[in-house]
Amino acid sequence: MSKEELGFETLAIHAGQEADPLTGAVVPPIYQTSTYKQDGIGGTRGGYEYSRTANPTRAALETCLAALEHGARAFAFASGMAAEDCLIRTLCRPGDHVLIPGDAYGGTFRLFDKVMTAWGVEHESVLQADLAAVARAVAARRPRLIWTETPTNPLLSIVDIRALAALAHEHDALLVVDNTFASPYLQRPLDLGADIVVCSTTKYIGGHSDVVGGALVLKDLAHAEDLAFHQNATGGVAGPFDAWLTLRGVKTLAARMDRHCANAARVAHALQDHPAVASVLYPGLPGHPGHDIAKSQMRDFGGMVSFRLAAGEEKAVEVCARTTLFTLGESLGGVESLIEHPARMTHASAAGSPLEVPSDLVRLSVGIEDPEDLLADLAQALG
Ligand SMILES: Cc1ncc(COP(=O)(O)O)c(C=O)c1O
């Protein structure tokens, strides 16, 4: 069977992960080596010369991620932020403009606002669910990149990837989609018209809160050589053990994600009925403004749920302190449930900016525990 005919679960377990030719090991070995013996100068075995440039364990992960996202090539990095940094510095030059989401992961905003600005890459944030506003900004700014995230962190807004891709291409811009919240199991941006996927593999792809990593996946090979050059030249690569852990995690992505989605849907509905909760942000709820678009571009609605407390910030902070199964912590996408207060934690760097998040907001990463236990924990924490 050709790779195109294989299902997601099969690719997650097999793509890039053929049995080791030397020993038959079913699991790709951790090639914990910095360098490789050459059979004479320039006589590399399989092209491997130095592990910043390429490493077989990282190559296995990159092959698998490219297959899962339906991309032509993938690059694995030491973190999601390293992937983002490398992408921007590969594609943008001083004077270039990037249209960024008005609602996004705070670290992405900080990268543009505090780092890229100093190097002459300009940005403007626009709430991208408003396509007319995006169209106006694109016409005015002529951006090199439209950068989007869907569902967004932490407000769970949905952006229409097909429409944004059309807008980008009409104006010779590239569309970059941060697919961290959905993962390729729920959403394949490249099939919807995007040019590049960026993600934090720390989250659902790794899935066990034991490794930090990031990836870029390209729809075609147009920028592949340039990215490979910059990945090697700047060096923020995934190490062999981190690549191996991520590869081990991704094998079960589909099974985990189904359970994350089922549990999150139950949590969202329960929260909606609770008197202490002012609103629930979950794209799976029919009343969510992006529900229909989410249905058209996602397999299911994901494991992230945010909600706002009727009694305000202090109550939000109190709920975060009172859960016992939902662990108070940053990050998301692991098998265990997490709770956080975005305004004081993950999105503190967006305070005072257009990306500032409401202070009465709580974000849940709903894990794959018994849903009854999760509902009971939230009920006792809300009081
Ligand atoms: C949507 C999104 N993109 C990118 C990142 C950055 O990834 P990393 O923490 O692996 O650097 C995060 C981290 O939380 C994220 O949530």
Side-chain angles (χ1 to χ4, degrees):
M1 281 169 92
S2 75
K3 217 172 66 179
E4 287 70 36
E5 292 171 71
L6 296 173
F8 187 93
E9 291 86 342
T10 311
L11 289 171
I13 294 169
H14 294 287
Q17 302 167 78
E18 294 77 24
D20 178 41
L22 193 62
T23 63
V26 169
V27 174
I30 305 168
Y31 283 90
Q32 194 69 44
T33 188
S34 59
T35 192
Y36 305 82
K37 175 177 163 42
Q38 301 193 10
D39 300 324
I41 293 172
T44 60
R45 303 180 192 183
Y48 293 105
E49 55 184 23
Y50 186 55
S51 278
R52 169 161 38 75
T53 319
N55 171 282
T57 316
R58 193 174 94 221
L61 173 62
E62 292 175 337
T63 302
C64 184
L65 293 178
L68 294 181
E69 290 281 6
H70 283 177
R73 185 153 171 200
F75 299 88
F77 290 84
S79 69
M81 295 317 302
E84 295 188 18
D85 176 51
C86 187
L87 180 65
I88 299 163
R89 285 197 283 158
T90 302
L91 295 179
C92 297
R93 294 292 173 270
D96 280 346
H97 199 92
V98 182
L99 213 63
I100 65 167
D103 164 14
Y105 171 55
T108 298
F109 173 70
R110 181 175 57 197
L111 179 65
F112 281 105
D113 191 46
K114 298 281 189 296
V115 181
M116 292 302 158
T117 303
W119 296 100
V121 176
E122 296 161 9
H123 65 275
E124 183 183 337
S125 61
V126 178
L127 286 171
Q128 295 173 340
D130 181 352
L131 287 169
V134 179
R136 281 194 299 276
V138 173
R141 299 287 196 163
R142 300 261 154 205
R144 169 83 173 118
L145 306 177
I146 298 182
W147 190 287
T148 195
E149 194 180 295
T150 183
T152 60
N153 180 1
L155 296 175
L156 281 310
S157 307
I158 298 295
V159 177
D160 185 337
I161 297 175
R162 290 183 189 89
L164 225 51
L167 252 173
H169 298 152
E170 210 178 292
H171 292 85
D172 293 327
L174 296 171
L175 178 65
V176 178
V177 178
D178 186 330
N179 204 27
T180 302
F181 266 36
S183 90
Y185 178 61
L186 297 184
Q187 171 174 279
R188 279 176 164 143
L190 302 180
D191 286 352
L192 299 167
D195 300 288
I196 299 161
V197 161
V198 57
C199 82
S200 167
T201 56
T202 314
K203 311 296 171 2
Y204 288 103
I205 287 180
H208 296 77
S209 306
D210 53 10
V211 60
V212 172
L216 299 173
V217 188
L218 308 183
K219 186 191 187 92
D220 56 42
L221 295 176
H223 301 285
E225 283 316 308
D226 215 7
L227 257 173
F229 171 83
H230 279 82
Q231 186 191 38
N232 180 51
T234 57
V237 295
F241 186 50
D242 287 0
W244 185 88
L245 275 173
T246 307
L247 202 50
R248 182 165 92 150
V250 81
K251 285 175 196 278
T252 56
L253 177 62
R256 284 185 283 109
M257 212 67 203
D258 282 340
R259 180 62 178 260
H260 281 296
C261 292
N263 281 4
R266 288 199 56 186
V267 163
H269 281 103
L271 288 172
Q272 216 178 15
D273 295 337
H274 199 286
V277 174
S279 60
V280 180
L281 313 179
Y282 184 62
L285 295 173
H288 185 287
H291 179 67
D292 289 339
I293 296 167
K295 245 165 91 175
S296 79
Q297 65 188 21
M298 297 175 76
R299 185 197 294 253
D300 204 337
F301 304 104
M304 300 300 296
V305 179
S306 293
F307 60 99
R308 300 181 69 171
L309 276 304
E313 179 170 7
E314 288 317 312
K315 179 73 178 174
V317 170
E318 185 195 309
V319 170
C320 291
R322 286 182 57 155
T323 54
T324 56
L325 269 180
F326 281 85
T327 302
L328 178 63
E330 304 206 352
S331 200
L332 58 112
V335 291
E336 62 286 296
S337 294
L338 298 176
I339 188 167
E340 71 127 356
H341 184 261
R344 293 192 191 181
M345 296 169 67
T346 49
H347 289 68
S349 63
S353 82
L355 278 82
E356 182 168 312
V357 296
S359 60
D360 57 6
L361 187 79
V362 170
R363 190 190 76 181
L364 302 175
S365 173
V366 181
I368 65 171
E369 299 96 334
D370 184 330
E372 296 300 334
D373 295 334
L374 297 179
L375 295 177
D377 190 29
L378 288 171
Q380 68 76 24
L382 284 162

